Amino acid sequence: MKLSRKRKMIGFGLALPFLCGFVLFYLAPFIVSIYYTFTFGNGRNIFVGFQNYISVLSSGAFQLAAYNTARFILVGVPLLILLSFLLSTLINARLKRNAAFKSVFLYPMIVPVAAVVMIFQIVFAESGLLNSLIPGVCIDWLHSEYAFGVLVLLYIWKNCGYNIILITAGLLSIPQDYYLTAELEGAGRRQKFMRITLPLMMPNLFFVLVISIVNAFRIFREAYLLAGETPHSSIYMLQHFMNNNFSNLNYQRLSVGAVLIFMVVFLMLALLFVVLRRRGDYEL
């Protein structure tokens, strides 16, 4: 009993620096932000109830940013997971011994974001490489409706390697005896995939889905470097809205935007956890 209590105290002592940093740099600012959402003015704040939430939700800029962010998640995340899963399956089935091929997918993780964006600017600029390769075409890819597709491509290219690592690790953890037994029973590739691979990969795919959604909400960094403070309306994200309000020192609207994003992400992830727990594929 004393030993168990001593271990708990040691564990708490080791975790204390992290807990202090978390409270100081994350929890406390978040609580202050919630307070700001119910006030008006800088310095001597006046309590205004939910007026700031109503103002932000009825704002055209916020509605555009929310629509673009939701569209980006609905388009980019499924494409990223599908491509990552296909490439992981290919690596696991055909290229197990080709370490050089596997390492190619890790390069986007170690290349600085600014360098990646610079390459995309060189390729997709109005006077860039892509237009020079297509005769008679002069499209401003970064300042037109095509900017959304370019940003999705950048998001997939940047995050695909990490997802491949996670999915490949899950595929390698599946015992081969399952597949051998299924072959003896006369199961084909489709049946083995649906009955063995997909069910056993659900926890890994769930984690990949969570990471992909979080990274999709963080796409502002790439969008900002790609198109600046005033991007095309198709890639105006929630973080653009928050950054603009920060520049204008409108901390109330900024705080409302941060709280709303937190609520959406929290509810989205909570829903995913509930769905997987009911399926029995994941345990909290």
Side-chain angles (χ1 to χ4, degrees):
M1 188 69 178
K2 292 183 178 180
L3 182 61
S4 177
R5 185 175 181 181
K6 184 178 180 180
R7 288 179 177 177
K8 290 181 180 179
M9 294 300 296
I10 293 175
F12 179 77
L14 293 174
L16 187 60
F18 166 78
L19 294 175
C20 292
F22 177 79
V23 172
L24 181 62
F25 296 107
Y26 290 94
L27 184 59
F30 184 70
I31 294 174
V32 173
S33 297
I34 295 177
Y35 166 74
Y36 273 137
T37 62
F38 298 104
T39 63
F40 174 78
N42 294 325
R44 186 180 180 183
N45 297 323
I46 303 172
F47 181 77
V48 294
F50 289 95
Q51 187 60 42
N52 289 323
Y53 287 90
I54 297 173
S55 175
V56 169
L57 291 174
S58 60
S59 169
F62 179 82
Q63 293 174 2
L64 175 63
Y67 169 76
N68 287 335
T69 304
R71 184 171 68 136
F72 185 85
I73 293 173
L74 293 175
V75 174
V77 172
L79 287 176
L80 173 62
I81 294 177
L82 179 61
L83 181 61
S84 301
F85 191 84
L86 291 176
L87 291 175
S88 299
T89 304
L90 176 64
I91 293 173
N92 187 54
R94 304 283 184 179
L95 302 167
K96 290 183 178 180
R97 298 180 181 179
N98 196 334
F101 182 80
K102 295 179 183 179
S103 64
V104 169
F105 297 103
L106 300 179
Y107 292 154
M109 297 177 60
I110 60 177
V111 176
V113 176
V116 176
V117 171
M118 183 181 68
I119 295 173
F120 271 73
Q121 289 175 335
I122 293 173
V123 174
F124 293 102
E126 188 174 4
S127 58
L129 181 61
L130 185 59
N131 284 337
S132 64
L133 296 176
I134 305 176
V137 175
C138 187
I139 301 175
D140 191 358
W141 301 92
L142 301 179
H143 297 90
S144 62
E145 288 292 338
Y146 297 100
F148 180 81
V150 174
L151 189 61
V152 170
L153 180 63
L154 176 57
Y155 165 75
I156 293 175
W157 189 85
K158 183 65 178 174
N159 297 283
C160 191
Y162 183 61
N163 287 359
I164 287 175
I165 294 174
L166 297 175
I167 297 174
T168 302
L171 291 173
L172 293 174
S173 67
I174 300 176
Q176 293 300 312
D177 295 343
Y178 294 169
Y179 295 105
L180 295 175
T181 304
E183 289 180 1
L184 293 176
E185 296 292 334
R189 290 185 177 181
R190 181 176 179 277
Q191 290 176 315
K192 287 189 291 185
F193 176 78
M194 297 300 297
R195 301 288 184 176
I196 299 175
T197 305
L198 194 58
L200 294 178
M201 283 295 297
M202 287 305 296
N204 294 75
L205 292 176
F206 171 74
F207 182 72
V208 169
L209 176 61
V210 171
I211 294 298
S212 300
I213 292 175
V214 171
N215 288 333
F217 275 99
R218 297 168 55 192
I219 197 62
F220 165 74
R221 178 180 56 179
E222 287 79 2
Y224 183 85
L225 293 174
L226 196 64
E229 293 184 359
T230 55
H232 187 265
S233 59
S234 62
I235 58 172
Y236 182 80
M237 302 295 179
L238 283 171
Q239 289 86 348
H240 283 99
F241 174 82
M242 295 171 63
N243 184 68
N244 292 340
N245 283 282
F246 177 77
S247 300
N248 297 330
L249 300 181
N250 195 332
Y251 298 127
Q252 283 74 21
R253 289 169 66 89
L254 170 63
S255 300
V256 170
V259 170
L260 290 176
I261 290 178
F262 169 79
M263 292 173 59
V264 170
V265 175
F266 178 81
L267 292 175
M268 188 182 302
L269 297 183
L271 179 61
L272 290 174
F273 270 103
V274 170
V275 171
L276 252 69
R277 286 195 68 188
R278 289 185 176 179
R279 286 175 51 89
D281 298 317
Y282 191 86
E283 294 183 1
L284 291 175

